[in-house]
Amino acid sequence: MLLHIAVSDTGIGIPEDKKQVIFESFAQADTSTTRKYGGTGLGLAISSQLVSMMGGEIWVESEVGKGSTFHFTVRAEVLPEKDRARSSASVDLAGLRVLVVDDNATNRRILHDVLRNWKMEPTGVDGGCEALQTLAESVDQQTPYDIVILDAQMPGMDGFEVARLLKENSHTKDIAIIFVTALSKDDKYSIQGYEEGAVDYLLKPLDTFVVRAKVNVFSKLYLQQRELKVNNELLQRTNKQLDEFVYIVSHDLKAPLRGLSSLASFLEDELG
């Protein structure tokens, strides 16, 4: 399969006699561009080499003062159906509720679109205070969120404070928190994030494959944890009912059927 991809901009444009030069190392269409716009002149040279290694071509169409369109082609193989099924095997993400907290509207939109494409139910908010309010409302409405994707560096209440407050609240302490940051995973911010209860980090710019992999893993863990919690609560209620049954039978020997009837009704309600 031959893929053809085009990327357009509305920049300064490239003169006709410079269209091939820009794909050479350390070359730019205008030597003043480095000073005015930044850049080293390596990006297109590296892109050209990568495209060539993948059996494709790269070229540009441009008009000075109006912008450019960069084209490239690459050859790719279509995976057999069985391999595609294996590569996409994951926990069912459909219906999982995710709260995206980021003061940057573009980042929120990207994550929202990606998560929605996986049939999840994302909600976006632009700050820590709104996140806490949204989570509190979800608790009141008994529609809890499964995951919070949280920007670490936000004005006002940052992600670390939000995470700390979530972990201090008995209703939200078990929600999986994934931080989003433009900083390195090895810096002090990451360490602080894990200390505040984050299960992992996503680095900007976001890679959708990494996002899905991490959301998939922690969704599965969260669902297992929630199932164990439900089973544990059922076990506790069953043990309590059994204790009451034993008490009734041992203290009211003339009416043992009352205890059996009460226990039978409980088990029918809980187990169907």
Side-chain angles (χ1 to χ4, degrees), residues 221-246:
L221 291 175
Y222 178 83
L223 292 174
Q224 290 175 341
Q225 182 185 48
R226 189 165 63 181
E227 183 178 356
L228 287 172
K229 184 178 180 180
V230 170
N231 291 339
N232 184 55
E233 291 174 350
L234 174 59
L235 180 61
Q236 290 178 348
R237 292 196 300 272
T238 303
N239 287 336
K240 182 179 179 181
Q241 194 68 27
L242 285 171
D243 289 341
E244 293 178 359
F245 167 70
V246 171

mmCIF file of all heavy atoms in Angstrom, residues 221-246:
data_model
loop_
_atom_site.group_PDB
_atom_site.id
_atom_site.type_symbol
_atom_site.label_atom_id
_atom_site.label_comp_id
_atom_site.label_asym_id
_atom_site.label_seq_id
_atom_site.Cartn_x
_atom_site.Cartn_y
_atom_site.Cartn_z
ATOM 1 N N LEU A 221 -7.182 -2.325 35.294
ATOM 2 C CA LEU A 221 -6.888 -2.429 36.720
ATOM 3 C C LEU A 221 -7.987 -1.803 37.565
ATOM 4 O O LEU A 221 -8.392 -2.343 38.599
ATOM 5 C CB LEU A 221 -5.544 -1.750 37.027
ATOM 6 C CG LEU A 221 -4.299 -2.448 36.489
ATOM 7 C CD1 LEU A 221 -3.061 -1.602 36.763
ATOM 8 C CD2 LEU A 221 -4.139 -3.822 37.125
ATOM 9 N N TYR A 222 -8.505 -0.654 37.102
ATOM 10 C CA TYR A 222 -9.549 0.026 37.846
ATOM 11 C C TYR A 222 -10.823 -0.813 37.884
ATOM 12 O O TYR A 222 -11.469 -0.949 38.923
ATOM 13 C CB TYR A 222 -9.847 1.393 37.234
ATOM 14 C CG TYR A 222 -10.960 2.135 37.942
ATOM 15 C CD1 TYR A 222 -10.711 2.864 39.094
ATOM 16 C CD2 TYR A 222 -12.270 2.076 37.468
ATOM 17 C CE1 TYR A 222 -11.724 3.534 39.753
ATOM 18 C CE2 TYR A 222 -13.291 2.737 38.117
ATOM 19 C CZ TYR A 222 -13.014 3.470 39.262
ATOM 20 O OH TYR A 222 -14.021 4.120 39.914
ATOM 21 N N LEU A 223 -11.190 -1.403 36.738
ATOM 22 C CA LEU A 223 -12.390 -2.224 36.688
ATOM 23 C C LEU A 223 -12.259 -3.459 37.575
ATOM 24 O O LEU A 223 -13.209 -3.867 38.255
ATOM 25 C CB LEU A 223 -12.682 -2.635 35.243
ATOM 26 C CG LEU A 223 -13.104 -1.494 34.304
ATOM 27 C CD1 LEU A 223 -13.226 -2.009 32.878
ATOM 28 C CD2 LEU A 223 -14.417 -0.885 34.761
ATOM 29 N N GLN A 224 -11.062 -4.056 37.588
ATOM 30 C CA GLN A 224 -10.832 -5.203 38.463
ATOM 31 C C GLN A 224 -10.927 -4.790 39.924
ATOM 32 O O GLN A 224 -11.515 -5.507 40.750
ATOM 33 C CB GLN A 224 -9.465 -5.828 38.170
ATOM 34 C CG GLN A 224 -9.394 -6.530 36.819
ATOM 35 C CD GLN A 224 -7.996 -7.027 36.507
ATOM 36 O OE1 GLN A 224 -6.997 -6.583 37.095
ATOM 37 N NE2 GLN A 224 -7.893 -7.954 35.558
ATOM 38 N N GLN A 225 -10.345 -3.632 40.232
ATOM 39 C CA GLN A 225 -10.395 -3.130 41.603
ATOM 40 C C GLN A 225 -11.837 -2.857 42.025
ATOM 41 O O GLN A 225 -12.248 -3.187 43.139
ATOM 42 C CB GLN A 225 -9.558 -1.853 41.712
ATOM 43 C CG GLN A 225 -9.509 -1.265 43.111
ATOM 44 C CD GLN A 225 -8.768 0.065 43.130
ATOM 45 O OE1 GLN A 225 -9.029 0.938 42.316
ATOM 46 N NE2 GLN A 225 -7.837 0.213 44.052
ATOM 47 N N ARG A 226 -12.616 -2.257 41.111
ATOM 48 C CA ARG A 226 -14.002 -1.949 41.434
ATOM 49 C C ARG A 226 -14.817 -3.229 41.620
ATOM 50 O O ARG A 226 -15.665 -3.313 42.519
ATOM 51 C CB ARG A 226 -14.615 -1.096 40.321
ATOM 52 C CG ARG A 226 -15.986 -0.542 40.673
ATOM 53 C CD ARG A 226 -16.391 0.559 39.725
ATOM 54 N NE ARG A 226 -16.522 0.100 38.355
ATOM 55 C CZ ARG A 226 -16.840 0.893 37.342
ATOM 56 N NH1 ARG A 226 -17.018 2.185 37.537
ATOM 57 N NH2 ARG A 226 -16.965 0.409 36.122
ATOM 58 N N GLU A 227 -14.548 -4.247 40.795
ATOM 59 C CA GLU A 227 -15.256 -5.515 40.934
ATOM 60 C C GLU A 227 -14.929 -6.181 42.262
ATOM 61 O O GLU A 227 -15.806 -6.725 42.945
ATOM 62 C CB GLU A 227 -14.894 -6.443 39.778
ATOM 63 C CG GLU A 227 -15.645 -7.773 39.800
ATOM 64 C CD GLU A 227 -15.295 -8.649 38.613
ATOM 65 O OE1 GLU A 227 -14.530 -8.192 37.748
ATOM 66 O OE2 GLU A 227 -15.792 -9.783 38.563
ATOM 67 N N LEU A 228 -13.634 -6.129 42.652
ATOM 68 C CA LEU A 228 -13.239 -6.692 43.940
ATOM 69 C C LEU A 228 -13.910 -5.947 45.096
ATOM 70 O O LEU A 228 -14.323 -6.557 46.090
ATOM 71 C CB LEU A 228 -11.714 -6.630 44.099
ATOM 72 C CG LEU A 228 -10.910 -7.615 43.248
ATOM 73 C CD1 LEU A 228 -9.419 -7.305 43.365
ATOM 74 C CD2 LEU A 228 -11.185 -9.051 43.675
ATOM 75 N N LYS A 229 -14.017 -4.626 44.964
ATOM 76 C CA LYS A 229 -14.651 -3.823 46.006
ATOM 77 C C LYS A 229 -16.121 -4.192 46.148
ATOM 78 O O LYS A 229 -16.638 -4.337 47.259
ATOM 79 C CB LYS A 229 -14.504 -2.338 45.680
ATOM 80 C CG LYS A 229 -15.050 -1.412 46.752
ATOM 81 C CD LYS A 229 -14.814 0.046 46.383
ATOM 82 C CE LYS A 229 -15.359 0.975 47.465
ATOM 83 N NZ LYS A 229 -15.137 2.402 47.107
ATOM 84 N N VAL A 230 -16.809 -4.359 45.002
ATOM 85 C CA VAL A 230 -18.222 -4.742 45.028
ATOM 86 C C VAL A 230 -18.391 -6.115 45.656
ATOM 87 O O VAL A 230 -19.268 -6.338 46.496
ATOM 88 C CB VAL A 230 -18.810 -4.728 43.599
ATOM 89 C CG1 VAL A 230 -20.200 -5.363 43.582
ATOM 90 C CG2 VAL A 230 -18.876 -3.300 43.074
ATOM 91 N N ASN A 231 -17.523 -7.054 45.267
ATOM 92 C CA ASN A 231 -17.602 -8.408 45.831
ATOM 93 C C ASN A 231 -17.320 -8.395 47.325
ATOM 94 O O ASN A 231 -17.944 -9.142 48.095
ATOM 95 C CB ASN A 231 -16.622 -9.339 45.120
ATOM 96 C CG ASN A 231 -17.024 -9.624 43.690
ATOM 97 O OD1 ASN A 231 -18.183 -9.465 43.328
ATOM 98 N ND2 ASN A 231 -16.075 -10.034 42.864
ATOM 99 N N ASN A 232 -16.368 -7.550 47.744
ATOM 100 C CA ASN A 232 -16.039 -7.460 49.155
ATOM 101 C C ASN A 232 -17.208 -6.883 49.959
ATOM 102 O O ASN A 232 -17.514 -7.354 51.065
ATOM 103 C CB ASN A 232 -14.795 -6.589 49.348
ATOM 104 C CG ASN A 232 -14.340 -6.519 50.786
ATOM 105 O OD1 ASN A 232 -14.104 -7.545 51.423
ATOM 106 N ND2 ASN A 232 -14.220 -5.316 51.320
ATOM 107 N N GLU A 233 -17.867 -5.872 49.389
ATOM 108 C CA GLU A 233 -19.029 -5.295 50.065
ATOM 109 C C GLU A 233 -20.154 -6.313 50.180
ATOM 110 O O GLU A 233 -20.837 -6.393 51.208
ATOM 111 C CB GLU A 233 -19.495 -4.049 49.309
ATOM 112 C CG GLU A 233 -18.519 -2.885 49.401
ATOM 113 C CD GLU A 233 -18.921 -1.712 48.529
ATOM 114 O OE1 GLU A 233 -19.869 -1.883 47.712
ATOM 115 O OE2 GLU A 233 -18.303 -0.640 48.647
ATOM 116 N N LEU A 234 -20.365 -7.113 49.120
ATOM 117 C CA LEU A 234 -21.385 -8.155 49.158
ATOM 118 C C LEU A 234 -21.050 -9.191 50.217
ATOM 119 O O LEU A 234 -21.928 -9.641 50.966
ATOM 120 C CB LEU A 234 -21.504 -8.813 47.786
ATOM 121 C CG LEU A 234 -22.442 -10.030 47.690
ATOM 122 C CD1 LEU A 234 -23.861 -9.635 48.092
ATOM 123 C CD2 LEU A 234 -22.426 -10.609 46.277
ATOM 124 N N LEU A 235 -19.773 -9.554 50.297
ATOM 125 C CA LEU A 235 -19.339 -10.536 51.288
ATOM 126 C C LEU A 235 -19.575 -10.011 52.706
ATOM 127 O O LEU A 235 -20.037 -10.752 53.588
ATOM 128 C CB LEU A 235 -17.865 -10.868 51.078
ATOM 129 C CG LEU A 235 -17.247 -11.904 52.045
ATOM 130 C CD1 LEU A 235 -17.973 -13.237 51.919
ATOM 131 C CD2 LEU A 235 -15.762 -12.074 51.749
ATOM 132 N N GLN A 236 -19.256 -8.733 52.915
ATOM 133 C CA GLN A 236 -19.473 -8.148 54.236
ATOM 134 C C GLN A 236 -20.949 -8.136 54.608
ATOM 135 O O GLN A 236 -21.320 -8.449 55.747
ATOM 136 C CB GLN A 236 -18.912 -6.729 54.270
ATOM 137 C CG GLN A 236 -17.383 -6.663 54.228
ATOM 138 C CD GLN A 236 -16.872 -5.241 54.215
ATOM 139 O OE1 GLN A 236 -17.631 -4.292 54.027
ATOM 140 N NE2 GLN A 236 -15.569 -5.080 54.393
ATOM 141 N N ARG A 237 -21.827 -7.791 53.648
ATOM 142 C CA ARG A 237 -23.257 -7.775 53.927
ATOM 143 C C ARG A 237 -23.778 -9.187 54.196
ATOM 144 O O ARG A 237 -24.627 -9.406 55.066
ATOM 145 C CB ARG A 237 -24.019 -7.150 52.759
ATOM 146 C CG ARG A 237 -23.766 -5.665 52.583
ATOM 147 C CD ARG A 237 -24.833 -5.029 51.692
ATOM 148 N NE ARG A 237 -24.862 -5.615 50.356
ATOM 149 C CZ ARG A 237 -24.121 -5.177 49.349
ATOM 150 N NH1 ARG A 237 -23.264 -4.182 49.522
ATOM 151 N NH2 ARG A 237 -24.217 -5.745 48.156
ATOM 152 N N THR A 238 -23.236 -10.172 53.430
ATOM 153 C CA THR A 238 -23.653 -11.564 53.625
ATOM 154 C C THR A 238 -23.243 -12.064 55.007
ATOM 155 O O THR A 238 -24.023 -12.722 55.700
ATOM 156 C CB THR A 238 -23.038 -12.454 52.531
ATOM 157 O OG1 THR A 238 -23.418 -11.968 51.242
ATOM 158 C CG2 THR A 238 -23.507 -13.894 52.681
ATOM 159 N N ASN A 239 -22.009 -11.734 55.399
ATOM 160 C CA ASN A 239 -21.533 -12.146 56.730
ATOM 161 C C ASN A 239 -22.376 -11.520 57.830
ATOM 162 O O ASN A 239 -22.689 -12.165 58.847
ATOM 163 C CB ASN A 239 -20.066 -11.767 56.909
ATOM 164 C CG ASN A 239 -19.132 -12.660 56.104
ATOM 165 O OD1 ASN A 239 -19.488 -13.795 55.782
ATOM 166 N ND2 ASN A 239 -17.949 -12.154 55.787
ATOM 167 N N LYS A 240 -22.753 -10.275 57.651
ATOM 168 C CA LYS A 240 -23.593 -9.597 58.638
ATOM 169 C C LYS A 240 -24.957 -10.275 58.749
ATOM 170 O O LYS A 240 -25.481 -10.487 59.855
ATOM 171 C CB LYS A 240 -23.769 -8.132 58.257
ATOM 172 C CG LYS A 240 -24.597 -7.337 59.247
ATOM 173 C CD LYS A 240 -24.720 -5.880 58.828
ATOM 174 C CE LYS A 240 -25.580 -5.103 59.832
ATOM 175 N NZ LYS A 240 -25.726 -3.668 59.416
ATOM 176 N N GLN A 241 -25.535 -10.643 57.583
ATOM 177 C CA GLN A 241 -26.830 -11.306 57.589
ATOM 178 C C GLN A 241 -26.734 -12.681 58.232
ATOM 179 O O GLN A 241 -27.634 -13.118 58.956
ATOM 180 C CB GLN A 241 -27.349 -11.429 56.161
ATOM 181 C CG GLN A 241 -28.820 -11.791 56.054
ATOM 182 C CD GLN A 241 -29.726 -10.673 56.541
ATOM 183 O OE1 GLN A 241 -29.345 -9.514 56.489
ATOM 184 N NE2 GLN A 241 -30.902 -11.030 57.034
ATOM 185 N N LEU A 242 -25.631 -13.383 57.975
ATOM 186 C CA LEU A 242 -25.429 -14.696 58.601
ATOM 187 C C LEU A 242 -25.314 -14.569 60.121
ATOM 188 O O LEU A 242 -25.846 -15.402 60.863
ATOM 189 C CB LEU A 242 -24.175 -15.351 58.016
ATOM 190 C CG LEU A 242 -24.304 -15.921 56.598
ATOM 191 C CD1 LEU A 242 -22.934 -16.345 56.071
ATOM 192 C CD2 LEU A 242 -25.275 -17.108 56.572
ATOM 193 N N ASP A 243 -24.606 -13.531 60.565
ATOM 194 C CA ASP A 243 -24.490 -13.303 62.004
ATOM 195 C C ASP A 243 -25.859 -13.063 62.627
ATOM 196 O O ASP A 243 -26.168 -13.569 63.724
ATOM 197 C CB ASP A 243 -23.579 -12.105 62.278
ATOM 198 C CG ASP A 243 -22.124 -12.396 61.970
ATOM 199 O OD1 ASP A 243 -21.768 -13.591 61.896
ATOM 200 O OD2 ASP A 243 -21.344 -11.438 61.777
ATOM 201 N N GLU A 244 -26.702 -12.291 61.930
ATOM 202 C CA GLU A 244 -28.054 -12.036 62.437
ATOM 203 C C GLU A 244 -28.882 -13.322 62.466
ATOM 204 O O GLU A 244 -29.660 -13.555 63.393
ATOM 205 C CB GLU A 244 -28.735 -10.977 61.568
ATOM 206 C CG GLU A 244 -28.102 -9.593 61.683
ATOM 207 C CD GLU A 244 -28.776 -8.579 60.784
ATOM 208 O OE1 GLU A 244 -29.728 -8.972 60.065
ATOM 209 O OE2 GLU A 244 -28.341 -7.411 60.781
ATOM 210 N N PHE A 245 -28.693 -14.145 61.431
ATOM 211 C CA PHE A 245 -29.400 -15.423 61.377
ATOM 212 C C PHE A 245 -29.009 -16.317 62.551
ATOM 213 O O PHE A 245 -29.866 -16.905 63.224
ATOM 214 C CB PHE A 245 -29.095 -16.110 60.050
ATOM 215 C CG PHE A 245 -29.500 -17.560 59.995
ATOM 216 C CD1 PHE A 245 -30.846 -17.912 59.967
ATOM 217 C CD2 PHE A 245 -28.546 -18.574 59.981
ATOM 218 C CE1 PHE A 245 -31.224 -19.250 59.919
ATOM 219 C CE2 PHE A 245 -28.918 -19.894 59.943
ATOM 220 C CZ PHE A 245 -30.257 -20.243 59.906
ATOM 221 N N VAL A 246 -27.705 -16.422 62.794
ATOM 222 C CA VAL A 246 -27.226 -17.247 63.905
ATOM 223 C C VAL A 246 -27.758 -16.717 65.228
ATOM 224 O O VAL A 246 -28.168 -17.481 66.119
ATOM 225 C CB VAL A 246 -25.687 -17.289 63.912
ATOM 226 C CG1 VAL A 246 -25.169 -17.959 65.175
ATOM 227 C CG2 VAL A 246 -25.175 -18.020 62.671
#
